[in-house]
């Protein structure tokens, strides 16, 4: 495993957390202030837990990135309320996916109209992230997802790739979006050192409808986690290091999906940095 490039990626990480009851205490206990914390939003629980946790973590001195799914916003007025609330909390970075709410809570069925509206509001956030799909989206053709990134590029400032466990697919995806002149910096989505039993326990806590949706969409994840030696984040990083650290790739860092195993994720990152001499 290489050293300098991988070390830089591990030092530029984002931890994705779910807004559960114990999340704030876990972040305070285990996450350094120089690690960016992103807070997901659930179609079952709505935006309120996300906004509340984001504001509390920002008050503790973290750089926080709340997820603001388009399909959870009722209308322009609701979006403006969310913007004002986050700005008041000192948040300057948001992640805007389409979201999974079905049907949508309001007038937005995708991220692009929300991004356009944010631009019309004077670009209230210095940083705006959108989703990339290294592996095929179950409902959308690959060319359509890359075209969507092209359409969003003038409103967004960075991409976050969805989870991908295939080094070849991940490397090819980065090359493809660069060939299509999508130049936004990329944070590569990587699952932390999650244990299958804990992942299943987490899935059962996020609401019946949401859990069913989660398990249906991500069956392959559980197969990989369950297999003996089936998944280790450092093995994935080792196999994709060349693709991720090439200057032409434009990879800004790692987006680590913690599944709320926050202490374990930070412990793994620190241990790997120590082995690399960081």
């Amino acid at each position: 495993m290489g050293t300098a490039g991988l070390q830089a990626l591990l030092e530029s990480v984002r931890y994705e957390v779910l807004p559960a009851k114990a999340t704030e205490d876990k972040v305070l206990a285990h996450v350094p202030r120089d690690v960016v914390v992103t807070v997901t939003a659930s179609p079952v629980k709505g935006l309120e837990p996300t906004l509340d946790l984001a504001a509390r973590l920002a008050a503790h001195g973290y750089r926080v990135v709340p997820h603001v799914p388009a399909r959870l916003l009722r209308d322009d007025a609701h979006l403006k309320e969310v913007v004002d609330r986050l700005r008041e909390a000192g948040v300057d970075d948001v992640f805007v996916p389409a979201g999974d709410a079905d049907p949508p809570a309001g007038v937005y069925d995708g991220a692009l109209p929300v991004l356009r509206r944010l631009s019309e509001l004077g670009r209230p956030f210095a940083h705006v992230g959108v989703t990339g799909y290294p592996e095929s989206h179950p409902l959308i053709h690959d060319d359509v997802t890359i075209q969507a990134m092209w359409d969003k590029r003038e409103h967004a400032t960075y991409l976050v790739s969805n989870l991908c466990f295939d080094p070849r697919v991940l490397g090819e995806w980065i090359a493809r979006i660069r060939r299509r002149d999508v130049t936004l910096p990329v944070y590569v989505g990587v699952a932390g050192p999650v244990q299958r039993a804990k992942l299943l326990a987490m899935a059962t806590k996020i609401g019946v409808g949401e859990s069913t949706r989660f398990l249906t969409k991500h069956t392959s994840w559980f197969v990989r986690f369950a297999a003996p030696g089936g998944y280790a984040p450092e093995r994935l990083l080792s196999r994709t290091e060349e693709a991720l650290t090439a200057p032409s790739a434009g990879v800004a860092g790692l987006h680590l999906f913690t599944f709320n195993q926050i202490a374990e994720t930070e412990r793994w990152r620190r241990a790997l940095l120590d082995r690399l001499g960081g």
Side-chain angles (χ1 to χ4, degrees):
M1 185 182 291
T3 300
L6 193 55
Q7 188 173 319
L9 293 179
L10 287 163
E11 290 173 346
S12 180
V13 297
R14 299 151 56 93
Y15 282 176
E16 179 174 302
V17 304
L18 296 104
K21 186 175 182 180
T23 304
E24 181 180 5
D25 289 340
K26 287 182 178 181
V27 170
L28 289 172
H30 303 291
V31 180
R33 295 298 195 280
D34 61 348
V35 170
V36 175
V37 180
T38 83
V39 185
T40 66
S42 159
V44 174
K45 297 182 179 179
L47 269 176
E48 184 56 35
T50 300
L51 302 177
D52 183 54
L53 179 58
R56 294 202 309 273
L57 291 176
H60 288 300
Y62 287 95
R63 182 177 165 199
V64 186
V65 184
H67 293 212
V68 183
R71 296 168 74 93
L72 287 183
L73 295 164
R74 295 186 300 273
D75 50 30
D76 287 356
H78 187 202
L79 174 58
K80 182 65 165 57
E81 289 173 15
V82 169
V83 167
D84 290 345
R85 182 170 172 182
L86 292 175
R87 293 279 294 165
E88 185 176 345
V91 171
D92 71 348
D93 190 342
V94 292
F95 178 63
V96 184
D100 294 330
D102 186 16
V107 299
Y108 301 118
D109 63 356
L112 186 57
V114 173
L115 296 168
R116 287 173 173 156
R117 184 65 183 138
L118 287 173
S119 293
E120 291 168 0
L121 290 171
R123 300 180 183 265
F125 302 104
H127 309 280
V128 177
V130 295
T131 309
Y133 296 96
E135 295 186 340
S136 295
H137 190 284
L139 302 176
I140 309 173
H141 191 277
D142 290 349
D143 286 339
V144 175
T145 63
I146 291 180
Q147 181 63 44
M149 282 186 282
W150 173 261
D151 294 339
K152 294 169 185 175
R153 77 195 189 289
E154 62 185 277
H155 306 285
T157 62
Y158 64 90
L159 285 168
V160 177
S161 75
N162 208 343
L163 271 180
C164 178
F165 295 99
D166 188 321
R168 178 188 57 80
V169 169
L170 182 57
E172 289 178 354
W173 174 76
I174 291 173
R176 281 184 69 202
I177 66 172
R178 297 315 184 206
R179 286 198 301 270
R180 289 283 295 269
D181 292 328
V182 176
T183 59
L184 296 173
V186 173
Y187 287 89
V188 173
V190 176
V194 64
Q195 295 178 14
R196 181 174 179 270
K198 290 186 177 181
L199 183 61
L200 284 166
M202 181 279 298
T204 63
K205 291 178 181 178
I206 58 179
V208 175
E210 179 72 354
S211 294
T212 301
R213 186 181 297 109
F214 182 90
L215 293 167
T216 300
K217 286 175 62 180
H218 305 301
T219 304
S220 65
W221 295 5
F222 292 92
V223 172
R224 290 176 186 268
F225 291 134
Y231 174 72
E234 59 268 32
R235 187 161 58 244
L236 175 66
L237 292 173
S238 176
R239 291 173 179 173
T240 57
E241 182 208 350
E242 185 176 349
L244 300 186
T245 59
S248 60
V251 174
L254 302 178
H255 182 98
L256 290 171
F257 293 81
T258 70
F259 302 104
N260 274 19
Q261 294 181 45
I262 296 166
E264 294 89 338
T265 301
E266 175 60 11
R267 197 157 47 237
W268 166 82
R269 184 180 75 99
R270 290 293 350 154
L272 187 51
L273 277 170
D274 288 345
R275 291 208 300 274
L276 293 170

